[in-house]
Amino acid sequence: MAKVRILPERVANQIAAGEVIERPAAVVKELVENSLDAGATRVVVEFAHAGRSLIRVEDNGFGMSPQDARTALERHATSKIADAADLNRLVTFGFRGEALPSIASVSRLTLQTREAGQDSGTEIAVNAGRVLHEKACGRPLGTRVDVEHLFEPVPARRKFLKTDRTESAHIVNCVRLYALACPAVSFALYEEGREVFRSPECSSLSDRVAEIFGRQAAEDLLPIDFAEPGMRLAGLIGRPGLNRATRHDMVAFINSRPVESRTLNGALIESYRESIPQGRYPVAFVFLECGPDEIDVNVHPAKREVRFRKEALVRGFVIRAVLKSLREWSGRAAAEGRAAAAPVILGDPGPLPAPFHALADEPAQPEPLSQPSAAPSGPVPSGESREFTPAWRYLGTAHGGYTLFETSQGLVLLDRRAAHERVWYERLKRQFETGGVPVQRLLLPVSIELNPVASAVLTDNVGFLVAHGMEISEFGRNFFRIEALPAWMEPGDAEAFLRDLVGALREGQMPRSDIDLARDELARLAAAKAVRLPPATGEAEALALLRDLFATSSPISSPAGRPTYVEFNHSELARRFQK
Ligand code: ADP
Ligand code: MG
């Protein structure tokens, strides 16, 4: 008997579905794309039980004839391309003809559709890839697809699904993404009969952003519209300074398709290099338009990733576009004397001052700079000595961020920010471990709106936050109120901190399975972002910082691993001065 067999179509579809349909939101994505490809001006999405029991997408697009409806459910049936060459001139979302048969193979799918000129519509029902019935039905112009019992025919897939909250959030995010991509189409989304959001046809992206993310968010963004022959970048980008801990608020569309593009994201981050701190991400909703033959969308099964044929060209173009917009804003802001109102940038105190910079950067010296080692010429003679007797003489403070000391070995330059982070990190870890976080109740609670995925993450982790000094209540879908904070946090920092925290939770940096690790991360984040660097007031303050630093378990480095001080010993100085 032959061992190599062609798989039955139904099985092949179920396997293909594994790639394209990884979660309920992927079904929503494919169906919404089909509606938009069909020229719909109104798209209504409904779902129940995180999309497991029902996903319904209804549109007023051009519909299908009975024959087309039948073919559409077959593998590789598409009206959008005829041959491989057409892949170079794609203007539609879909092209593989895989979505409908894949979804139908892992659910119970009912398609109802009617095209112009037909008296009645067509209904086709399929269960786990087998056609149940086909009949005429009453139907307004357009198409409705019901997907029920998703993944029931393939129980293994259900195991990979996250909590209902998370899966629902992905669905909501997905619909919002397409609503942003097509502001002129009206969108409505319902979960178990309740309206999640609804946006009428909008005349601009900025109206759509305001509808979806709120007026405040829209006001922090600058319009951008830049064109060179063959390419155009338009949309909204964050003002200089506006930044996020994760890249979730960088949303890019290429020829109206929401995509992940390394080139584009990289160029955006690069453009903001001087206006937001390192390691932070800009906010951007941008649309890149270019000839369809400039891009390859056929690299990812779910079409989420796009490659450019001429990457360097696109990169340069995007950077020019964004920088122009940012510079124009900065110019205007300066002119209006508004520069001071720009958001405060948290983060590193900046590079070393020039002369020391040159010193520190010099590579391959015969006698390298002595970095702090495990046994530094520290101010504390031995570990037992509780009485602090500084062997380092305070000389002064430079640029607010560095303190200079004279030591028996030479000179020490202390990075105050790094030192404070170390001190606070250990202080916070102790507080977290003993449960003794001092709490301040806010007279005016801070309100914050999160996107659906972020709010799902927050809700899932509220217990952890409460146990560590924050009190947060939900007062509407995706709206939260911060009622109480740890005493050491400035209320003004609470929102930014919470957003960072949610970002870190979302990236899995605070695993629930390991409370110690989660606390470490929380302390690290708080020490770096939420605890203010007190002003350098002189010798007493500098020595107090030094004492606290050397009482920690690792005075030589910040919790993020940066050195807290750099030492220039006598021989190094002598060599430098050619003595
Ligand atoms: P693709 O979108 O890649 O062509 P699909 O499996 O998603 O593949 O859809 C197959 C075909 O069914 C499409 O090419 C289109 O002709 C038709 N179709 C699917 N959904 C709709 C819809 N909502 N309105 C009109 N036609 C549709
Ligand atoms: Mg499709």
Side-chain angles (χ1 to χ4, degrees):
M1 200 180 114
K3 285 199 205 111
V4 181
R5 269 161 292 167
I6 304 272
L7 291 172
E9 165 136 333
R10 210 166 68 88
V11 179
N13 280 335
Q14 286 179 345
I15 292 169
E19 284 183 7
V20 188
I21 309 300
E22 48 202 348
R23 58 173 11 144
V27 171
V28 174
K29 169 186 187 290
E30 294 293 337
L31 298 180
V32 168
E33 286 191 348
N34 281 349
S35 296
L36 294 168
D37 281 346
T41 58
R42 187 170 49 83
V43 177
V44 181
V45 181
E46 286 179 60
F47 69 99
H49 195 203
R52 288 175 225 245
S53 56
L54 172 74
I55 291 170
R56 168 180 292 170
V57 176
E58 187 166 10
D59 66 55
N60 64 350
F62 49 59
M64 286 173 264
S65 69
Q67 176 57 44
D68 282 348
R70 227 169 286 137
T71 332
L73 287 162
E74 275 165 33
R75 191 125 191 259
H76 303 305
T78 178
S79 54
K80 298 167 195 174
I81 57 170
D83 56 42
D86 282 348
L87 278 175
N88 292 337
R89 352 176 231 277
L90 269 183
V91 287
T92 52
F93 287 114
F95 59 86
R96 292 191 187 181
E98 273 182 349
L100 285 181
S102 297
I103 299 167
S105 74
V106 293
S107 69
R108 189 196 147 111
L109 181 146
T110 312
L111 170 76
Q112 287 195 341
T113 187
R114 182 167 74 85
E115 69 173 4
Q118 306 258 347
D119 298 335
S120 69
T122 309
E123 176 179 304
I124 303 179
V126 184
N127 191 25
R130 290 202 176 84
V131 177
L132 297 178
H133 67 246
E134 182 189 327
K135 60 185 187 196
C137 69
R139 165 98 232 133
L141 198 66
T143 303
R144 188 178 93 185
V145 179
D146 286 6
V147 174
E148 292 162 285
H149 311 301
L150 183 61
F151 298 138
E152 244 164 53
V154 278
R157 281 225 71 79
R158 304 204 96 171
K159 294 205 194 90
F160 290 100
L161 297 183
K162 299 273 166 35
T163 62
D164 277 9
R165 242 198 124 86
T166 303
E167 294 299 338
S168 301
H170 279 285
I171 293 178
V172 176
N173 241 7
C174 167
V175 180
R176 288 188 180 198
L177 211 54
Y178 283 88
L180 286 170
C182 308
V185 176
S186 96
F187 274 87
L189 175 64
Y190 299 90
E191 179 179 5
E192 267 133 57
R194 273 187 313 139
E195 179 184 304
V196 178
F197 82 92
R198 166 207 282 281
S199 170
E201 299 174 20
C202 292
S203 54
S204 71
L205 172 66
S206 140
D207 285 352
R208 192 39 65 90
V209 169
E211 287 275 346
I212 297 182
F213 292 91
R215 295 268 151 221
Q216 180 56 50
E219 278 167 20
D220 280 340
L221 301 169
L222 312 172
I224 178 171
D225 195 348
F226 184 79
E228 281 176 6
M231 258 186 271
R232 177 172 171 208
L233 187 78
L236 297 166
I237 58 173
R239 304 189 293 187
L242 187 70
N243 66 77
R244 299 275 187 266
T246 67
R247 49 179 84 217
H248 298 305
D249 284 343
M250 290 169 58
V251 178
F253 303 91
I254 298 175
N255 292 344
S256 299
R257 185 190 296 277
V259 283
E260 287 293 324
S261 154
R262 271 165 207 254
T263 312
L264 217 129
N265 283 348
L268 283 169
I269 293 169
E270 176 70 24
S271 313
Y272 276 88
R273 216 167 53 146
E274 295 194 344
S275 39
I276 59 181
Q278 216 200 343
R280 307 283 303 184
Y281 298 94
V283 177
F285 305 108
V286 290
F287 293 75
L288 181 79
E289 280 167 37
C290 60
D293 56 340
E294 290 294 327
I295 54 179
D296 185 0
V297 288
N298 199 13
V299 283
H300 187 280
K303 293 171 263 149
R304 270 197 315 257
E305 227 179 277
V306 157
R307 286 217 190 108
F308 292 100
R309 305 222 193 280
K310 299 176 194 137
E311 291 202 357
L313 213 90
V314 175
R315 185 183 155 79
F317 168 77
V318 171
I319 294 177
R320 278 196 297 286
V322 174
L323 283 183
K324 179 164 180 278
S325 204
L326 293 180
R327 288 195 183 124
E328 279 171 5
W329 183 86
S330 302
R332 274 199 310 277
E336 292 164 26
R338 267 199 299 117
V344 178
I345 299 173
L346 294 168
D348 302 340
L352 281 167
F356 291 113
H357 197 203
L359 200 71
D361 265 356
E362 199 80 49
Q365 292 297 332
E367 208 169 357
L369 275 177
S370 61
Q371 286 289 325
S373 64
S377 69
V380 184
S382 83
E384 303 111 54
S385 166
R386 289 289 104 213
E387 197 51 50
F388 181 75
T389 44
W392 292 6
R393 198 165 69 81
Y394 172 80
L395 294 181
T397 299
H399 300 276
Y402 300 98
T403 310
L404 190 62
F405 296 93
E406 182 192 79
T407 73
S408 57
Q409 312 288 314
L411 292 172
V412 160
L413 195 60
L414 178 91
D415 179 345
R416 299 181 63 242
R417 156 71 61 188
H420 267 286
E421 286 180 14
R422 166 57 64 187
V423 170
W424 270 103
Y425 170 70
E426 302 212 349
R427 196 174 287 163
L428 294 177
K429 273 211 319 186
R430 271 196 306 279
Q431 283 185 4
F432 294 163
E433 275 155 24
T434 56
V437 183
V439 173
Q440 54 173 325
R441 296 206 67 79
L442 298 180
L443 285 177
L444 293 174
V446 178
S447 307
I448 163 168
E449 185 187 6
L450 295 175
N451 67 43
V453 174
S455 58
V457 171
L458 179 57
T459 314
D460 284 350
N461 290 285
V462 140
F464 175 73
L465 299 185
V466 169
H468 295 90
M470 297 190 93
E471 208 171 289
I472 293 157
S473 59
E474 192 171 2
F475 72 103
R477 212 184 162 87
N478 303 326
F479 280 91
F480 297 85
R481 231 184 336 237
I482 309 174
E483 317 258 10
L485 288 177
W488 39 260
M489 197 187 300
E490 287 283 340
D493 287 341
E495 174 171 353
F497 179 70
L498 190 66
R499 285 188 190 276
D500 283 358
L501 195 59
V502 169
L505 285 164
R506 191 168 162 184
E507 311 267 278
Q509 289 162 7
M510 295 181 193
R512 228 183 278 197
S513 50
D514 189 340
I515 186 75
D516 288 336
L517 196 62
R519 280 182 176 151
D520 272 12
E521 272 309 313
L522 182 63
R524 210 186 309 276
L525 198 65
K529 303 286 182 201
V531 176
R532 260 170 213 272
L533 183 62
T537 49
E539 181 163 4
E541 186 268 344
L543 293 180
L545 174 58
L546 214 53
R547 185 192 51 225
D548 291 346
L549 177 64
F550 278 86
T552 65
S553 64
S554 175
I556 61 169
S557 65
S558 82
R562 293 192 296 119
T564 48
Y565 61 87
V566 181
E567 208 172 334
F568 308 95
N569 59 27
H570 290 307
S571 56
E572 171 69 17
L573 293 170
R575 204 182 52 73
R576 287 267 153 189
F577 289 108
Q578 303 178 1
K579 284 189 199 157

